[in-house]
Amino acid sequence: MKRTLAATTIALGVGALLAGASTASYAGVTEQDILNDAKTTHQIVTNGMGTQGQRYSPLKKINTDTVSKLVPAWSFSMGGEKQRGLEAQPIIYDGVMYITGSYSRLFAIDIKTGHEIWEYNARLAEGMMPCCDVINRGAAIYGDMVYFGTLDAKLIALDRKTGKVIWKKKLGDYKAGYSYSAAPLIVKGKIITGVSGGEFGIVGRVDARDAITGDLVWSRPVIEGHMGTLNGKPSTMTGVKNATWPGDMWKSGGGATWLGGTYDQETDLLFFGTGNPAPWNSHLRKGDNLYAASRLAINPDNGEIVWHYQTTPRESWDYDGVNEVISYNLDGKKLAATADRNGFFYVLDRTNGKLQNATPFVDKISWAKGIDLKTGRPIFDPANRPGDPAKGDGKKGTQIFAVPAFLGGKNQMPMAYSPDTSLFYVPANQWGMDLWNEPTTYKKGAAYLGAGFTMKPLYDTHVGELKAIDPRTGKIVWQYNNKAPLWGGVLTTGGNLVFTGTPEGYLKAFDAKTGKELWKFNTGSGVVAPPVTWEMDGEQYVAVGSGWGGAVPLWGGEVAKLVKNFNQGGSVWVFKLSH
Amino acid sequence: MTLSRILFLAFFSFFSTSALATTEVKDPLNSPMWDYMVEQFFKDVPWKFDDRVKVITPKVAEDSARVPVSVRAEGIGKVEEMIVIVDLSPFPKVAHYYPMKTEPYLELRLKLNEASAIRAAAKTSDGVWHIGGMYVDGAGGGCAAPRIKVAGPGWADNLGKVQGRLWKRKNGTERIRVRVMHPMDTGLVNNIPAFYIETLSITDQKGALLARLDSFEPVAANPVFSFEIKGGHGGYALKGRDNNGNDFRAIVLPKVK
């Protein structure tokens, strides 16, 4: 076989785009549909239920008076043996729900019946290295295409009616640790993506591709010293090489943009967060390490960074700065808020990134005594940075107890903002960790941490806390305590309700003003996905994915005891009011 | 099997009169699934058994994961389409070939799930499907048995790589044989999703389309396909895509002596 087929072929390999393969007619989701998504109640065409990411719906048929009558309309099982974390938000369009499952699967489901229309199963490379479960956070939709990214770092555009692939693009080398887990963002005809893989010394990037063809328009690495591109040519360098990074450390500097971003039409800015600088051991990279652990405002037309706000300069505790930036207007100001892994709730002027306020949203923060509102910089507590291993026995530096733990005061689960109550609803966790540094060097495809850690709950009673935060003052207006860590994301509605899920399996509804628990339903597996709501045939529906997983059961340390009896799943639940 | 026949009879007696004639023709391979194959592939279209459509395959499949099958439909006029069918299979349709400017000939290797009739059907320009076949015995399990994975952990490195060869035959045709590296997973093994080459096109070096092949789950891993072209073009371009959206391309040239 080998002998007879030798030598005479020029193999061009995989990856080239089939010219003219696209057959979609693009009569579907328009730019205007996407920009109006927050106000539109019959469909959900963006992650965040609006590009600003507020996760607020004006619908009010389900409200504090009626929510007790909420009952299941249908449930859909994603099937197979692939029951792992389900962190995706559904997209609802033209009678179809598009939702991603574990192991890079995408499902199209009839929203009236719960019947599957099609599914796409990625054949994943065995050598891929997702850090924190084989999850995905949802699809994007534009024209007649639906998009999602895979664990082996591919971006795929499919015909929304047939599930056939229109194009497929490589976002990074999975062997170097690149992966993809966020929901893509559609802005001005472009599909905007980040990358995952922060634990492997990859370099975070934000890319914009033509949403129709998949061709790269611009790319913006988020670590200083790397060159951006625009229309196939080098554009500008990110930051100034070696300004805040020593030596060659910037070359594998992390800053994974793994949670995706939001877009604000009023300022015409993309807001992307960046992960921790690599490696964890900060003694190897003295300096602020821009733009890791930061929020970036990016021009969607050319990929230039318009402003940045670094939440944790010279980050040392795995406080990724990726958490979602939600745009909102209050008291005549154009603001944005974000609840960081590091335990602070930040309010920024979203026109220029200037800090307006920063307040703790967890009980204890060990790494900083506060945030200087004049300079916007944290007031570090030097005793609470793990010690330099090079100064001890060379193997392990001084161990500290850090709060929050590396999974953060808040992690990937998106918060919500209600313009009715002017409150943010933040799913938070109270935990700490033993943390120490170790020496490390970068090696392609190997974990690049230089640190060890174990997690510990702060309280015997609970870890999770859903908090209503007044962004004017940072004051906690109410909170709901949950025994297991919260990981599920929040929805708030015009019915004065707040919905969130729990790892115990419940989808719960609370009074948005008082925090009183009004309704719950056990979905059979842990809820670690954000709920959504929409209106169809005159009735209001609520949907949420159910499938325990994500980072907590993998990295939980002592916290794992709290969750060891939670079983896996992989389903979608849809609810409506009984008559 | 009996059930499917009963169901089929009930079905056609209600909906179809034209199919009635077809079931009166005895299947030369005496396959229990033949009526169901007719229902799936030849419903309401004219067809006949025809010895001129030849299927050549070993009488006993030694390796059910790759059974070589050669099909040829000569002497029946211009052939527009050819399909390869395995009656007893979770995926009866193996391949659909549009010979266009090539000979009505196709060679491939398939996964045999159990002993079965293997058939080829060729549609001539008058719309009639000419059907030939052969019965193949074998241990089976090719599509569904948990087995040693053909695709090792490194499959992604070689995915879509193509090896190929051209040579002239004494009858004046040129034969192209290509092997495409691909796991061709059926979706029935080890919880691995269905992952297979869906389409392959052959063009001359100027890009003019010569033939198209649609392939399905039961084509063997790292598929080997052979085609024939009268006269030959001395070089070909191949373009393909799998159901995950991976594209591959290759150019096949004569061996440099």
Side-chain angles (χ1 to χ4, degrees):
Chain A
M1 181 65 217
K2 187 148 194 171
R3 191 163 47 84
T4 55
L5 290 185
T8 53
T9 299
I10 303 165
L12 302 183
V14 177
L17 176 74
L18 272 182
S22 157
T23 50
S25 62
Y26 314 116
V29 177
T30 64
E31 197 69 47
Q32 215 50 45
D33 286 337
I34 288 169
L35 293 173
N36 290 340
D37 198 35
K39 296 187 181 80
T40 313
T41 54
H42 69 283
Q43 61 190 31
I44 300 163
V45 296
T46 60
N47 182 49
M49 297 181 63
T51 63
Q52 291 183 326
Q54 291 186 357
R55 296 184 181 277
Y56 167 82
S57 167
L59 289 173
K60 50 177 74 167
K61 279 185 182 154
I62 300 170
N63 55 47
T64 46
D65 294 330
T66 61
V67 69
S68 62
K69 293 182 196 149
L70 207 53
V71 294
W74 52 262
S75 172
F76 172 88
S77 169
M78 291 180 172
E81 294 155 31
K82 298 180 173 177
Q83 302 201 327
R84 296 284 291 272
L86 203 176
E87 294 185 355
Q89 181 215 292
I91 294 287
I92 307 285
Y93 182 71
D94 193 17
V96 181
M97 172 185 288
Y98 300 95
I99 186 165
T100 56
S102 59
Y103 286 103
S104 303
R105 293 176 293 164
L106 174 59
F107 297 84
I109 308 164
D110 183 323
I111 45 170
K112 292 198 173 161
T113 61
H115 291 161
E116 177 173 309
I117 299 167
W118 55 257
E119 71 177 82
Y120 174 90
N121 278 270
R123 173 65 147 111
L124 295 166
E126 270 80 352
M128 62 175 194
M129 291 177 275
C131 88
C132 308
D133 202 3
V134 285
I135 56 88
N136 181 278
R137 298 194 176 85
I141 189 165
Y142 181 60
D144 274 337
M145 288 195 257
V146 56
Y147 309 82
F148 85 116
T150 65
L151 292 162
D152 57 356
K154 306 289 195 314
L155 181 66
I156 303 174
L158 305 103
D159 183 304
R160 71 177 169 90
K161 297 213 161 140
T162 64
K164 289 276 175 204
V165 176
I166 293 169
W167 53 254
K168 181 171 179 178
K169 298 287 177 183
K170 182 175 164 181
L171 295 173
D173 175 6
Y174 70 85
K175 288 183 178 171
Y178 283 91
S179 179
Y180 191 79
S181 51
L185 173 66
I186 305 283
V187 173
K188 297 171 131 180
K190 300 183 195 74
I191 179 160
I192 320 277
T193 50
V195 288
S196 303
E199 270 44 70
F200 301 98
I202 61 115
V203 172
R205 250 171 36 233
V206 180
D207 291 343
R209 288 180 162 74
D210 182 308
I212 306 291
T213 64
D215 295 337
L216 189 67
V217 178
W218 55 257
S219 178
R220 170 55 54 194
V222 301
I223 300 297
E224 74 178 20
H226 293 271
M227 283 299 287
T229 67
L230 175 62
N231 298 324
K233 298 192 185 95
S235 57
T236 56
M237 182 182 281
T238 300
V240 178
K241 187 156 77 180
N242 285 133
T244 66
W245 286 84
D248 283 346
M249 296 301 285
W250 57 277
K251 288 183 180 169
S252 50
T257 45
W258 58 265
L259 198 49
T262 58
Y263 171 71
D264 173 45
Q265 192 189 7
E266 291 174 38
T267 53
D268 191 23
L269 290 173
L270 300 169
F271 300 119
F272 268 75
T274 63
N276 60 294
W280 282 26
N281 180 351
S282 67
H283 301 286
L284 299 171
R285 43 173 175 76
K286 294 204 168 74
D288 279 355
N289 311 140
L290 290 171
Y291 296 98
S294 300
R295 303 301 190 283
L296 303 180
I298 298 174
N299 180 329
D301 299 322
N302 59 19
E304 293 298 317
I305 296 173
V306 177
W307 58 254
H308 76 275
Y309 179 80
Q310 191 175 35
T311 42
T312 317
R314 199 183 158 212
E315 193 285 324
S316 181
W317 306 267
D318 196 31
Y319 296 149
D320 290 53
V322 293
N323 287 356
E324 69 286 0
V325 173
I326 298 184
S327 298
Y328 69 109
N329 294 344
L330 192 62
D331 307 329
K333 286 184 248 175
K334 290 188 200 306
L335 301 170
T338 188
D340 201 272
R341 289 261 280 266
N342 71 21
F344 287 98
F345 182 85
Y346 296 85
V347 175
L348 304 170
D349 179 335
R350 73 177 187 271
T351 64
N352 57 22
K354 287 257 173 349
L355 183 66
Q356 306 296 299
N357 201 8
T359 49
F361 65 93
V362 289
D363 294 349
K364 193 177 163 215
I365 292 175
S366 65
W367 68 277
K369 293 165 183 163
I371 309 293
D372 183 330
L373 293 183
K374 286 206 182 80
T375 63
R377 291 181 66 85
I379 305 152
F380 284 104
D381 183 344
N384 285 323
R385 181 181 293 270
D388 185 351
K391 288 188 179 145
D393 61 3
K395 288 177 187 154
K396 181 177 171 182
T398 320
Q399 178 178 310
I400 56 152
F401 185 70
V403 187
F406 71 101
L407 289 180
K410 175 187 165 296
N411 203 285
Q412 57 85 30
M413 53 287 191
M415 59 185 188
Y417 174 73
S418 167
D420 298 339
T421 61
S422 302
L423 297 176
F424 278 88
Y425 301 98
V426 181
N429 290 310
Q430 303 268 14
W431 44 23
M433 65 176 165
D434 292 325
L435 175 68
W436 62 93
N437 282 166
E438 296 163 355
T440 186
T441 50
Y442 175 75
K443 182 165 171 282
K444 183 187 165 183
Y448 186 47
L449 298 183
F453 49 88
T454 63
M455 302 241 298
K456 289 174 177 166
L458 290 191
Y459 304 119
D460 293 337
T461 49
H462 68 282
V463 174
E465 294 182 354
L466 175 65
K467 304 193 170 208
I469 297 178
D470 182 344
R472 291 186 176 99
T473 60
K475 198 176 143 239
I476 313 272
V477 176
W478 58 258
Q479 78 178 52
Y480 155 79
N481 295 345
N482 195 73
K483 186 143 206 247
L486 288 178
W487 211 253
V490 184
L491 161 72
T492 181
T493 73
N496 188 36
L497 291 173
V498 172
F499 288 89
T500 199
T502 72
E504 288 88 344
Y506 289 101
L507 178 64
K508 294 192 171 196
F510 303 89
D511 184 308
K513 292 199 184 91
T514 66
K516 188 183 172 203
E517 187 179 314
L518 300 172
W519 174 85
K520 67 178 174 180
F521 179 88
N522 198 313
T523 60
S525 180
V527 177
V528 291
V532 294
T533 188
W534 74 97
E535 194 166 31
M536 175 168 71
D537 302 331
E539 290 189 274
Q540 186 183 348
Y541 288 78
V542 173
V544 74
S546 165
W548 172 235
V552 174
L554 300 179
W555 301 107
E558 278 186 35
V559 176
K561 283 185 208 155
L562 285 175
V563 304
K564 73 178 165 51
N565 291 332
F566 298 161
N567 287 331
Q568 291 162 339
S571 58
V572 184
W573 282 89
V574 174
F575 303 90
K576 63 175 188 172
L577 293 174
S578 65
H579 298 293
Chain B
M1 144 266 198
T2 321
L3 182 65
S4 72
R5 176 156 185 134
I6 292 165
L7 284 176
F8 170 69
L9 290 170
F11 188 69
F12 87 74
S13 61
F14 188 73
F15 289 105
S16 169
T17 48
S18 67
L20 188 60
T22 66
T23 51
E24 287 168 353
V25 182
K26 190 174 158 28
D27 171 21
L29 299 175
N30 198 25
S31 162
M33 292 296 278
W34 177 241
D35 289 346
Y36 183 57
M37 294 300 109
V38 172
E39 171 70 20
Q40 277 195 77
F41 301 110
F42 309 110
K43 197 182 168 205
D44 301 328
V45 295
W47 61 269
K48 62 180 182 187
F49 290 116
D50 191 331
D51 287 345
R52 292 171 295 179
V53 177
K54 298 217 182 306
V55 173
I56 301 170
T57 178
K59 282 181 183 164
V60 178
E62 285 186 8
D63 179 359
S64 292
R66 62 181 71 237
V67 180
V69 174
S70 161
V71 305
R72 191 182 288 281
E74 273 173 356
I76 57 171
K78 171 71 185 157
V79 172
E80 293 185 337
E81 296 174 45
M82 296 169 82
I83 57 177
V84 180
I85 299 168
V86 178
D87 285 23
L88 289 157
S89 168
F91 314 98
K93 192 170 181 180
V94 180
H96 198 140
Y97 187 53
Y98 301 85
M100 299 163 97
K101 291 173 182 165
T102 65
E103 295 299 287
Y105 159 83
L106 173 68
E107 200 175 301
L108 51 75
R109 293 156 196 207
L110 56 78
K111 303 178 197 113
L112 192 68
N113 208 47
E114 59 184 294
S116 173
I118 296 183
R119 305 178 196 267
K123 186 177 145 191
T124 42
S125 37
D126 56 3
V128 177
W129 285 91
H130 303 255
I131 301 165
M134 189 174 160
Y135 183 82
V136 180
D137 203 352
C143 294
R147 64 195 150 95
I148 300 163
K149 272 190 285 182
V150 174
W155 65 266
D157 293 337
N158 295 318
L159 185 71
K161 283 188 182 157
V162 179
Q163 292 169 295
R165 186 164 183 195
L166 300 183
W167 67 95
K168 293 274 190 196
R169 301 180 73 238
K170 282 179 189 155
N171 67 2
T173 61
E174 187 166 56
R175 188 172 283 186
I176 317 161
R177 177 170 289 170
V178 292
R179 175 165 73 174
V180 186
M181 299 305 286
H182 202 287
M184 299 297 285
D185 298 299
T186 60
L188 301 182
V189 179
N190 296 352
N191 208 26
I192 294 167
F195 181 49
Y196 57 92
I197 295 168
E198 278 186 327
T199 185
L200 190 71
S201 66
I202 310 163
T203 62
D204 66 19
Q205 287 173 286
K206 288 174 187 154
L209 188 61
L210 302 174
R212 196 182 105 209
L213 175 71
D214 294 341
S215 59
F216 301 92
E217 293 94 331
V219 170
N222 302 329
V224 177
F225 298 112
S226 300
F227 313 98
E228 275 180 19
I229 294 174
K230 199 164 275 174
H233 295 261
Y236 301 88
L238 247 82
K239 202 160 81 168
R241 173 176 273 201
D242 67 26
N243 69 328
N244 257 213
N246 297 306
D247 295 316
F248 54 91
R249 290 172 184 212
I251 294 166
V252 183
L253 296 170
K255 191 168 185 175
V256 181
K257 286 178 180 159

